[in-house]
Amino acid sequence: MSVQWGIMSTARINRKFLAGAREASGVEVVAVASRTRESAERFAREHRIERAHAGYDSLLSDPAVEAVYISLPNSLHVEWTVRALQAGKHVLCEKPLSRRAEEVSRCFEQAEREGRLLTEGFMYRHHPQTHRLVELVRSGAIGALRLVRASFSFELPEPRNVRLSRALEGGALMDVGCYCVSGTRLLAGEPRRVTAQQTLGGDGVDIAFAATMLCQGEVLAHFDAGMSFAARDELEVVGEHGSLFLDDPWHCVEPVIELRRDGRSERIEVERVNPYRREAENLSAAIRGEAPLLLGREDALGQARAIEALYAAAETGQAVTPA
Ligand SMILES: NC(=O)c1ccc[n+]([C@@H]2O[C@H](COP(=O)([O-])OP(=O)(O)OC[C@H]3O[C@@H](n4cnc5c(N)ncnc54)[C@H](OP(=O)(O)O)[C@@H]3O)[C@@H](O)[C@H]2O)c1
């Protein structure tokens, strides 16, 4: 039987999530909530969602809703994740769950107390391109891993966008740099030491962020993230004998992996699939006990520890060892 989902907010990202959820098996979106009744009803009508709730608490009181997709601004993720868990809902919270490891622990402790599942919404982790990349690295396709280079940037011309608000915990690292951190950690393990630089914009958020990370096994990594320069998203994974290049590592709309080795280049095609679909299917299947949850506590904690260290490094200009 399908898991009944509710969506918390009428955020722009919901459109992509809903497109994935509609194709998904075991996923049925039955309700949406917004701060105002009018906006909830408009969104429900437009997307043919059965029930519209005025206020997020009302969604959490809906007895039919088993799982909640939280697409609020970053600063509200922890509060509403905890409240949703307390209301007995399973939670898929958009990335980043939090920039503070202590808050991530608190959320997962709540989930454990309530016997509910919680997962952080890194949809690219559910895509076959990412699984294939990990297989290639682990199977020795490029020899021993030495370096990871990542980037994710875009131009943000809207001064009122939530990403430019310090109070709402915007910032380039929080918005897009977190993918570079996630991809690096997936391949090279937890960072042991980080350095970083940032430039500020909006009302004091990082609009450009560049960092180096020394990871497990002496793997070096560097990445840049920006909301104030041209759109780029790339991942290069360099081994002793070759490298792997992904031109679309995070959105996964045009998945293909280029293997460069011995002066030759091979294109490894990957199945096209909606990553939001896979992410929603994973939580639904885990709720029904049919599959393990892909992203749980350890991954979210590692993310928050790295982000905390990266901001500390950028703010102090010192190298930082993540907690
Ligand atoms: N995984 C991905 O591919 C992906 C892509 C984009 C964004 N995201 C994540 O999704 C989240 C939402 O991003 P978005 O760009 O979709 O956001 P957005 O369009 O700005 O929407 C945020 C929603 O949050 C609600 N909200 C509650 N309090 C608010 C406040 N004080 N200010 C503004 N909005 C408030 C509003 O909905 P109501 O008025 O209806 O309550 C608003 O529509 C972020 O955490 C972001 O990192 C993920």
Side-chain angles (χ1 to χ4, degrees):
M1 207 179 80
S2 286
V3 171
Q4 310 235 308
W5 287 65
I7 298 187
M8 193 178 276
S9 97
T10 58
R12 275 180 280 193
I13 185 58
N14 292 357
R15 290 167 195 280
K16 288 190 179 176
F17 178 77
L18 278 168
R22 292 239 154 77
E23 293 176 8
S25 58
V27 178
E28 191 185 356
V29 177
V30 296
V32 61
S34 178
R35 288 172 295 177
T36 67
R37 175 170 301 285
E38 191 196 1
S39 134
E41 284 176 352
R42 194 181 328 114
F43 192 90
R45 246 190 335 271
E46 188 186 334
H47 296 278
R48 299 186 308 284
I49 297 172
E50 233 169 275
R51 288 190 297 288
H53 289 279
Y56 309 142
D57 275 320
S58 171
L59 176 73
L60 298 185
S61 306
D62 185 332
V65 169
E66 299 172 81
V68 175
Y69 171 60
I70 298 181
S71 51
L72 296 169
N74 299 337
S75 62
L76 299 174
H77 287 178
V78 170
E79 176 190 346
W80 284 99
T81 291
V82 169
R83 289 170 78 158
L85 292 165
Q86 284 170 336
K89 312 300 185 193
H90 303 277
V91 175
L92 164 59
C93 180
E94 261 307 341
K95 44 52 66 176
L97 175 57
S98 168
R99 58 188 281 175
R100 298 171 199 88
E102 176 276 318
E103 289 184 342
V104 169
S105 294
R106 186 148 54 81
C107 290
F108 279 92
E109 277 157 23
Q110 191 70 44
E112 259 165 44
R113 266 198 295 280
E114 304 293 344
R116 292 294 178 269
L117 296 178
L118 165 60
T119 188
E120 186 176 19
F122 275 107
M123 81 302 180
Y124 89 97
R125 286 286 309 269
H126 297 264
H127 197 278
Q129 174 175 247
T130 312
H131 301 320
R132 187 80 182 98
L133 173 68
V134 172
E135 272 169 23
L136 286 163
V137 173
R138 305 251 156 98
S139 67
I142 54 172
L145 180 61
R146 295 283 191 247
L147 179 85
V148 180
R149 177 183 70 80
S151 60
F152 201 172
S153 64
F154 63 103
E155 275 180 274
L156 184 55
E158 311 155 23
R160 295 175 63 80
N161 193 289
V162 293
R163 289 162 182 76
L164 293 171
S165 161
R166 196 175 171 83
L168 297 177
E169 297 188 349
L173 175 57
M174 289 292 275
D175 193 50
V176 282
C178 62
Y179 286 89
C180 302
V181 172
S182 170
T184 300
R185 292 180 46 255
L186 173 66
L187 297 163
E190 301 301 336
R192 297 194 288 118
R193 204 158 173 73
V194 308
T195 62
Q197 298 288 339
Q198 60 183 345
T199 56
L200 301 181
D203 67 358
V205 298
D206 50 303
I207 50 166
F209 200 96
T212 65
M213 301 192 281
L214 177 62
C215 298
Q216 310 296 328
E218 301 298 292
V219 178
L220 273 178
H222 59 107
F223 75 85
D224 67 78
M227 309 190 293
S228 56
F229 46 89
R232 293 144 56 251
D233 47 352
E234 287 184 1
L235 178 63
E236 188 181 23
V237 186
V238 185
E240 220 177 343
H241 306 302
S243 64
L244 295 157
F245 179 79
L246 279 71
D247 195 35
D248 186 10
W250 320 123
H251 297 296
C252 311
V253 176
E254 305 278 346
V256 60
I257 301 174
E258 203 178 318
L259 169 62
R260 299 165 177 171
R261 191 173 168 149
D262 304 326
R264 286 196 302 271
S265 167
E266 178 192 347
R267 281 169 62 84
I268 300 167
E269 302 290 338
V270 186
E271 180 192 357
R272 283 174 189 242
V273 48
N274 185 317
Y276 301 92
R277 165 187 173 173
R278 287 287 168 95
E279 144 182 283
E281 281 177 341
N282 179 241
L283 181 57
S284 279
I287 291 169
R288 294 286 180 255
E290 293 159 1
L293 197 63
L294 182 70
L295 297 175
R297 180 193 198 119
E298 280 320 301
D299 193 75
L301 255 181
Q303 274 296 115
R305 285 191 185 118
I307 290 173
E308 229 171 340
L310 285 161
Y311 273 129
E315 281 155 19
T316 60
Q318 306 287 316
V320 173
T321 300

